[in-house]
Amino acid sequence: MGMHDVRVAGAEELRQFMKRLLRDVKALERMLADGLVETGVRRIGAEQELFLVDESFGAAPVALEVLNRLKDHPEFTTELGLFNIEFNLDPQEFGGKCLSNMERDLNRFLELARQAAAEVNAHVVLTGILPTLKLTDLHLGNMTPNPRYYALNDALCKLRGGSYNFHIKGADEFIVQHDNVMLESCNTSFQVHFQAGPEEFARLYNVAQLVAAPVLAAACNSPLLFGKRLWRETRIALFQQSVDTRGSGTAIREKHPRVSFGHRWLDDSVLEIFHDDIARFRVLIDTEVDEDPFEAIEAGRPPSLKALRLHNGTIYRWNRACYGVHEGQAHLRIENRVLPSGPTPIDELANAAFWFGLMISVAEEHSDVREVMDFDDANSNFLAVARQGLSAPLKWTDGITASADELILHRLLPMAREGLLNRGVDPDDVSRYLDVMEERVKTKQTGAMWALNSFQGMKHKRSMSERLSALTAATVTRQRLGTPVHTWGLVDTHEGASWKDNFYRVEQFMKTDIITVNQDEVIDLVVSVMDWQQERHIPVEDDQENLVGIVTYLTILRYLNQEGERGDAVSTIMHTEVVTVTPETLTTDAVRIMRENKVSCLPVVRDGKLVGLVTERDFLRITEELMEEKLSRA
């Protein structure tokens, strides 16, 4: 759940914290040497993150109200955004009915969350990235008012030294600058845990790295961000960039991001991860530490290692090493952060079962995966499936290269089944979850592909806002039914929020693919662009891409009727007193502004930059759609 009693500290406080951190590491070194960390026991666990949406299926910042209704259930806690919450499942002994018990608990807590959300007119959604999230949702007012989150934001922004620059390219391209870490809250996951003894930790951690790619390929569920079609699992790129504190620097020096797959195999011990992370990444935040770990060891109790756990919680490896204490016994576990949230609990358990099975079977097949695959190939596999999903080509341990779906179906699924059965997992559970995985891979309908195919299928029937709303509404409906994603039908055009909800603000229907010209261009360019693109309004920008004017069709007609040379710059004819609106402007206000100012076009700006365009044509189209809807009901 993370520690919340943290603060942004000064230089002296951070130096003192570093001393405590180093003392925690030394204490762990002693515990490992003296056999004080649990071994010979295998437990699994999970954490579920989810989104909250309102009745219009947009992000609902009501986490505190929902959690207040769940105060008798300590399993629930906050996340970074006020439109997210998380709950934690109790650990299970690995074997028997552990998987179905986990699904039972998952559904029980999910239903509690649904009931609490319903009391504040909200729904819960399991999805890696919420389709209806808007950039305007990601302001600090929607950050959970918790010292940990404020401290992290302040520390990361200070270390970054400026705004965060995002650039992700898929079928579409996402380029944006943002001034806080709230884009991290776009990501939700289903994090699963696998306990490992100290003597086997390095070997099993390497296995987790090796199998991360095929497991993610089958689990992809985050293909859209702000209506952009990006990676099959866009979380991977977005999360790294959302907390990336590296400056541009020099291309020669290699710097590691705080979110990463890692950079090498482990050799002998979990300590290699902690040593590497402490050496590479500065301490960000501080907390009171009221325990000396060596005194706790001498007293016969496991120390909390609070400083080590806090620092470890600010470094986001996709497979994270974790230290914890359970029922008075210290232990180590591997936390898989790869898996996205959703699409349904049975899909999530299928993903988890596949991972658990591979963790066992690959470790049994290869005593040391370092001998059968280069680390760079494992890393390349991971990035390839994040981009391409099941169609990604993977290089495997015996040197073969095959698409992810072929490798999973013909080799890895049988291995996962064998691994689970060999460890005494209930055969009915093994069939239930891995059969779901098999059908998903055969049909190639992951959550990502269902979303993309549904989104594309509505392309000529609905506005962007309506398509994203329908996609989210359909996700909520199908999740309640509980059927796995490979059985889901594509989104019906009538699903989603009401007509009013989809056209309430300008940002929901404004045009974002805009042709502009520079103020120093020749006027003939504007004439040509209007002719080629059939546009009646061309915004004008300066060299810094600030909106400085607009040229209309009427302006051009007047100019063409004048005698003389036509090589003048655009700046000589453009209107400089431009009436603008913001993305948050209400549609009714936009209509009023257009009417009062007798203009037929409204540039949509944020911080002086053009982000969209609304014209009288858009309002005619909306009116036409509204009339058709009303008349069809008459």
Side-chain angles (χ1 to χ4, degrees):
M1 294 184 184
M3 301 177 198
H4 299 303
D5 53 334
V6 302
R7 64 197 175 201
V8 177
E12 178 59 30
E13 289 84 4
L14 290 178
R15 283 192 290 270
Q16 293 303 317
F17 181 80
M18 176 56 76
K19 292 180 181 179
R20 295 191 291 270
L21 174 58
L22 293 173
R23 189 163 177 80
D24 276 1
V25 173
K26 291 179 180 178
L28 180 58
E29 291 171 354
R30 175 176 169 182
M31 294 172 70
L32 294 173
D34 293 349
L36 300 179
V37 178
E38 190 173 32
T39 188
V41 177
R42 183 83 70 226
R43 297 188 188 90
I44 60 173
E47 303 170 34
Q48 176 70 70
E49 298 171 347
L50 50 84
F51 283 99
L52 298 165
V53 298
D54 57 27
E55 293 182 315
S56 302
F57 302 102
V62 295
L64 299 184
E65 293 93 320
V66 171
L67 290 172
N68 183 56
R69 288 162 172 78
L70 294 166
K71 59 187 176 183
D72 293 333
H73 300 279
E75 298 85 358
F76 288 87
T77 189
T78 58
E79 270 294 325
L80 176 64
L82 282 171
F83 38 76
N84 303 127
I85 60 172
E86 173 189 310
F87 60 82
N88 291 252
L89 303 181
D90 289 335
Q92 303 272 344
E93 295 285 339
F94 188 54
K97 303 289 286 185
C98 63
L99 296 176
S100 55
N101 288 341
M102 186 177 286
E103 185 186 7
R104 176 203 62 206
D105 291 347
L106 180 57
N107 278 310
R108 179 167 65 89
F109 287 124
L110 190 57
E111 186 56 33
L112 287 172
R114 284 176 175 146
Q115 292 173 7
E119 293 178 16
V120 293
N121 300 314
H123 307 281
V124 301
V125 191
L126 303 179
T127 186
I129 296 177
L130 181 66
T132 50
L133 262 180
K134 303 184 293 294
L135 196 59
T136 51
D137 292 321
L138 306 179
H139 55 84
L140 292 180
N142 274 345
M143 180 181 285
T144 300
N146 185 296
R148 176 185 176 86
Y149 305 129
Y150 290 139
L152 271 174
N153 180 71
D154 291 346
L156 288 168
C157 290
K158 180 180 179 181
L159 198 57
R160 172 70 183 171
S163 298
Y164 293 85
N165 296 304
F166 295 82
H167 186 194
I168 308 172
K169 184 171 177 57
D172 301 317
E173 194 166 13
F174 174 67
I175 304 176
V176 76
Q177 190 176 80
H178 202 57
D179 61 358
N180 61 58
V181 301
M182 279 293 285
L183 265 100
E184 181 188 342
S185 65
C186 295
N187 303 298
T188 61
S189 60
F190 181 65
Q191 299 170 16
V192 290
H193 299 250
F194 191 80
Q195 185 173 328
E199 74 290 345
E200 63 177 355
F201 188 92
R203 183 168 64 92
L204 287 176
Y205 186 87
N206 289 341
V207 171
Q209 296 283 77
L210 175 68
V211 305
V215 171
L216 177 60
C220 290
N221 191 33
S222 313
L224 296 167
L225 176 66
F226 307 139
K228 304 284 190 181
R229 299 161 299 168
L230 302 174
W231 293 9
R232 294 296 184 269
E233 191 54 40
T234 304
R235 287 170 49 252
I236 303 304
L238 181 63
F239 191 25
Q240 177 172 318
Q241 295 182 34
S242 66
V243 294
D244 196 345
T245 57
R246 297 173 298 173
S248 55
T250 171
I252 298 174
R253 179 181 173 186
E254 183 177 354
K255 297 181 180 180
H256 293 256
R258 297 189 87 93
V259 177
S260 77
F261 185 75
H263 59 97
R264 66 175 182 86
W265 299 120
L266 292 191
D267 293 322
D268 300 303
S269 169
V270 65
L271 290 169
E272 295 168 40
I273 293 178
F274 295 135
H275 289 167
D276 194 61
D277 287 348
I278 293 171
R280 291 182 185 278
F281 301 109
R282 292 177 57 184
V283 169
L284 294 180
I285 50 181
D286 181 27
T287 188
E288 291 289 340
V289 178
D290 54 7
E291 175 193 63
D292 182 278
F294 287 96
E295 291 180 1
I297 293 172
E298 295 299 328
R301 66 177 187 273
S304 65
L305 303 187
K306 191 174 183 181
L308 177 62
R309 290 188 295 112
L310 178 60
H311 184 256
N312 191 47
T314 66
I315 299 154
Y316 310 93
R317 292 175 181 256
W318 289 109
N319 284 303
R320 178 190 271 170
C322 294
Y323 167 90
V325 178
H326 177 70
E327 296 181 350
Q329 182 67 57
H331 68 270
L332 298 172
R333 64 185 186 275
I334 300 166
E335 179 185 62
N336 179 335
R337 303 171 60 84
V338 168
L339 300 174
S341 180
T344 63
I346 191 172
D347 285 307
E348 292 182 327
L349 264 296
N351 297 338
F354 187 38
W355 185 64
F356 294 141
L358 288 180
M359 287 292 292
I360 297 298
S361 60
V362 173
E364 291 174 346
E365 181 177 55
H366 302 290
S367 60
D368 188 347
V369 300
R370 296 176 300 173
E371 299 175 354
V372 296
M373 182 178 284
D374 187 83
F375 180 84
D376 288 343
D377 289 331
N379 189 22
S380 296
N381 285 345
F382 182 69
L383 293 174
V385 300
R387 291 187 175 100
Q388 303 173 56
L390 287 172
S391 63
L394 299 184
K395 184 175 181 180
W396 204 241
T397 55
D398 47 12
I400 67 167
T401 298
S403 63
D405 59 335
E406 292 175 347
L407 184 66
I408 291 169
L409 287 174
H410 302 307
R411 182 162 182 176
L412 300 185
L413 265 174
M415 288 179 64
R417 288 182 190 274
E418 183 178 1
L420 293 173
L421 292 172
N422 287 347
R423 288 306 174 102
V425 177
D426 182 80
D428 290 339
D429 279 7
V430 175
S431 294
R432 171 175 169 79
Y433 300 115
L434 293 190
D435 285 356
V436 166
M437 176 62 68
E438 183 173 1
E439 289 303 310
R440 188 196 305 162
V441 177
K442 281 182 177 179
T443 60
K444 298 184 180 180
Q445 181 158 294
T446 60
M449 291 312 300
W450 172 81
L452 285 172
N453 290 335
S454 293
F455 185 73
Q456 191 68 16
M458 295 183 283
K459 183 175 182 179
H460 301 295
K461 301 176 182 178
R462 315 191 80 168
S463 68
M464 175 67 75
S465 176
E466 289 177 296
R467 292 158 72 191
L468 297 174
S469 172
L471 191 60
T472 306
T475 300
V476 170
T477 301
R478 287 154 176 73
Q479 283 176 358
R480 285 186 173 276
L481 296 175
T483 54
V485 71
H486 72 268
T487 67
W488 287 11
L490 299 184
V491 178
D492 185 272
T493 56
H494 298 293
E495 297 182 75
S498 67
W499 184 93
K500 174 185 174 182
D501 292 323
N502 283 312
F503 292 95
Y504 190 62
R505 292 185 176 87
V506 166
E507 66 184 335
Q508 295 174 290
F509 61 91
M510 66 185 184
K511 179 182 177 182
T512 56
D513 183 10
I514 311 165
I515 302 293
T516 66
V517 295
N518 185 274
Q519 60 184 350
D520 296 324
E521 300 281 6
V522 296
I523 296 172
D524 280 353
L525 174 63
V526 180
V527 176
S528 299
V529 168
M530 282 187 172
D531 181 37
W532 297 335
Q533 302 294 327
Q534 295 296 296
E535 295 287 354
R536 299 176 66 86
H537 310 86
I538 303 294
V540 184
E541 297 175 311
D542 63 15
D543 292 337
Q544 287 72 47
E545 297 187 344
N546 296 303
L547 180 69
V548 294
I550 193 166
V551 178
T552 68
Y553 185 70
L554 183 58
T555 304
I556 292 297
L557 287 179
R558 290 171 177 166
Y559 170 75
L560 293 176
N561 285 329
Q562 294 176 356
E563 296 182 359
E565 293 293 329
R566 287 180 17 208
D568 295 323
V570 170
S571 59
T572 64
I573 66 166
M574 68 184 186
H575 297 283
T576 56
E577 295 184 4
V578 185
V579 180
T580 65
V581 292
T582 68
E584 298 81 19
T585 301
L586 300 181
T587 301
T588 52
D589 288 342
V591 172
R592 176 182 53 77
I593 291 169
M594 190 176 284
R595 184 173 61 245
E596 289 178 352
N597 290 277
K598 296 181 173 59
V599 295
S600 56
C601 172
L602 289 173
V604 186
V605 299
R606 177 180 287 121
D607 299 328
K609 306 291 186 181
L610 184 70
V611 297
L613 202 66
V614 177
T615 70
E616 58 188 5
R617 290 181 183 177
D618 297 309
F619 292 113
L620 287 173
R621 177 179 58 82
I622 293 170
T623 302
E624 181 183 0
E625 291 181 12
L626 178 59
M627 290 180 65
E628 288 179 355
E629 179 180 322
K630 295 294 185 182
L631 291 173
S632 66
R633 296 179 180 179

